[in-house]
Every structure is written in structure tokens, then in C-alpha cells.
Amino acid sequence: MARRKKIYEGKAKILYEGPEPGTIVQYFKDDATAFNAQKKDVIEGKGVLNNRLSEFFMTGLAQIGVPTHFIKRINMREQLCRSCEIIPLEVIVRNYAAGSMSTRLGIEEGTQLPRPIVEYCYKDDALGDPLVTEEHIAAFGWASQQDMDDILSLALRVNDFLSGVMLAVGIKLVDFKIEIGRVYDGDFQRLIVADEISPDSCRLWDMETGQKLDKDVFRRDLGNLTDAYTEVARRLGVLPKNASPITKPTLIN
Ligand code: UDP
């Protein structure tokens, strides 16, 4: 097989040139990092689960008319996506206080917010992805006012969709992060949901027990991360009951 050209390697994924112009291949690694990569590990099976879960969420979003970069899953670790220009913002939507918001504002983790709150962080690892306001975004030209209106609307639609999907399987969507890409159809530009949606980029708590089923399990040493992600996948019907991504790989093809 011809060697594919690597475009970019991030903390959890590698991007390769796709088979057609305008496409890329996203490869999901097993690497887990936290605290701006100060904590690192390899979690066997994580990439396989995130590939499947991101496929599940992106496909569901497309079905309700939210545009995404996802085209199709290629194999256990790779998916074909539309290439896009990533807007250098992490778009965070919060339904309950947790993580950096709890620290910053002194609100106890788990407190329900009066309404979903959308925050923006500037994507820059060296700076630790600092929180920015729409003033910074406009002044530095990272996105236009029209882009910001579209980003807010996409973020809230993704929130409604994900919250509902999770609620149906007894999971509370505490918060999540998405990234937005720009694509051009001729002269016309559109924004689409890009990157990934997985337990790496969401906070997911079991509704009854409060058990964490997301990357906080790794960040805070709360147990086995693959078990937590497998539980999310199993509840969503992405993995058949009792299937493990490691011991029974044929079941998830
Ligand atoms: N998040 C992410 N990537 C980042 C920062 C945050 O996916 O680089 C997600 C994180 O998993 C959580 C949400 O965004 O679901 C809000 O994260 P927060 O700002 O509370 O940051 P943290 O406490 O994780 O540093």
C-alpha cells in the first residue's frame, strides 16, 4: 500500500492526506494526555472506541442537519473526513459547572447552570489554551461576527443533540468541547463541526451514581479509562453488550 502523507500529528490523533482532494484521514491513537500534556499514557483500546463514538455522534448530527466533516469510517482506527480550515478556537458548552469553570468561578462541580454557557478558548498549547472573549476573536480576526453567530448556533444544536442522546442512556452531559472548520463551496464559505466528539472531549456522568465516564477518569486517576469509554459505547449501542474493543475486535467492524 502506498505510504500516506502525514499532515499533522496531535496528542490523540494523526491526520493524513486523504485519497481524494479535499479529504483527510483521521487516525485515532491510544495516547491520552492531560494538563497540557504534562500527564501522558497509552490506553489500549481508547483510539478504537473514540473512532466509533465520534462516528456515532457525527452521523447523528448529520441526520438532524448539523453539518460535520465526517464522511465515513474506514477501519477500526481511521475515518475519512472532509478537509477544512480549523478556526483556532475551542468551543466549550457547559450545562453543569465542572473543571476549569468551577475553579475559576468557585462554583461547586455538578451545579446546574441557569442555561447552557458557551465559552471560547484560543487554541495554543504553548499558552495552555487561554479563555478569550468575542472581543479578542473579532479584534484578532480569528472569526467574523457572522462566523460567531453560526458557531454559537452550531454549538447549541450540538448541545441539544448530545444532551438528548446521553439522557436517553442515563448519562448527564456536563460539558463538552468542539472545534469548527471552514469549508469553501466555490466562493461560498460554510462552517462545519470538525475534529472529534468523544469522551475525550466531553464530561459524562452517570445520572444515578454520578460515576465519571470520560477523560476525567484518566486526569484524576479514577480507574480504568477504557472501561469507562466502553460503558458509554455499550449504552449507546455502539458496541454490542459485553464486547470489548481489545479482545473481540471483529465485533466492532
Ligand atoms: N476540553 C477538551 N480539550 C481541551 C480542554 C477542554 O476537550 O483542551 C473539554 C473537557 O474535556 C471538558 C470541557 O472541554 O469536557 C471543558 O473543559 P475545562 O475548561 O473544564 O477544562 P479542564 O478542567 O479539563 O482543564
Side-chain angles (χ1 to χ4, degrees):
M1 200 176 87
R3 266 174 71 100
R4 277 186 313 218
K5 192 168 159 215
K6 195 191 274 189
I7 304 171
Y8 174 80
E9 177 155 4
K11 286 172 277 193
K13 295 187 296 294
I14 306 175
L15 304 186
Y16 296 98
E17 261 180 10
E20 313 280 341
T23 64
I24 54 145
V25 172
Q26 239 184 185
Y27 175 96
F28 287 75
K29 300 193 282 185
D30 279 342
D31 301 31
T33 63
F35 313 117
N36 209 4
Q38 288 171 52
K39 178 171 178 167
K40 288 185 199 171
D41 206 348
V42 175
I43 313 280
E44 205 183 337
K46 179 175 84 82
V48 173
L49 284 158
N50 281 352
N51 186 25
R52 289 300 298 245
L53 284 164
S54 201
E55 171 192 22
F56 176 81
F57 297 127
M58 295 285 185
T59 308
L61 284 169
Q63 279 167 353
I64 61 157
V66 175
T68 82
H69 74 157
F70 181 83
I71 301 171
K72 67 170 187 179
R73 189 169 57 80
I74 302 169
N75 57 41
M76 277 177 41
R77 287 190 183 270
E78 295 178 320
Q79 48 183 245
L80 183 68
C81 296
R82 183 160 180 189
S83 67
C84 57
E85 203 178 287
I86 294 286
I87 294 183
L89 296 173
E90 303 210 321
V91 180
I92 293 171
V93 184
R94 301 179 184 273
N95 299 305
Y96 298 83
S100 70
M101 178 191 238
S102 288
T103 311
R104 198 180 335 115
L105 301 179
I107 307 174
E108 195 186 339
E109 285 211 312
T111 307
Q112 186 164 20
L113 300 171
R115 62 184 174 90
I117 295 179
V118 182
E119 294 177 347
Y120 305 100
C121 292
Y122 179 53
K123 258 172 75 71
D124 187 319
D125 282 341
L127 299 175
D129 301 336
L131 186 69
V132 291
T133 67
E134 292 195 45
E135 280 289 286
H136 298 103
I137 297 167
F140 296 123
W142 297 325
S144 67
Q145 188 53 56
Q146 178 63 56
D147 290 338
M148 292 314 291
D149 293 347
D150 294 348
I151 290 173
L152 181 65
S153 147
L154 282 172
L156 293 175
R157 290 189 73 194
V158 173
N159 186 43
D160 285 345
F161 171 76
L162 287 181
S163 297
V165 166
M166 291 303 178
L167 182 70
V169 296
I171 294 174
K172 194 189 265 187
L173 178 66
V174 173
D175 59 28
F176 65 94
K177 182 258 321 185
I178 50 170
E179 296 188 18
I180 304 291
R182 228 185 266 287
V183 289
Y184 297 91
D185 293 323
D187 283 345
F188 185 69
Q189 75 128 49
R190 288 189 304 126
L191 299 184
I192 61 177
V193 177
D195 190 50
E196 72 176 282
I197 300 178
S198 74
D200 266 9
S201 52
C202 301
R203 282 198 170 92
L204 305 171
W205 295 0
D206 180 84
M207 221 125 64
E208 297 216 322
T209 64
Q211 189 193 354
K212 292 182 172 49
L213 299 169
D214 56 61
K215 207 166 99 177
D216 275 346
V217 171
F218 170 71
R219 291 190 191 99
R220 304 180 186 188
D221 295 318
L222 300 175
N224 184 306
L225 192 73
T226 310
D227 286 352
Y229 289 19
T230 302
E231 175 61 13
V232 175
R234 191 192 58 76
R235 287 198 202 182
L236 292 169
V238 170
L239 289 181
K241 275 204 171 86
N242 305 321
S244 147
I246 300 161
T247 55
K248 295 179 187 164
T250 47
L251 286 176
I252 54 172
N253 245 324

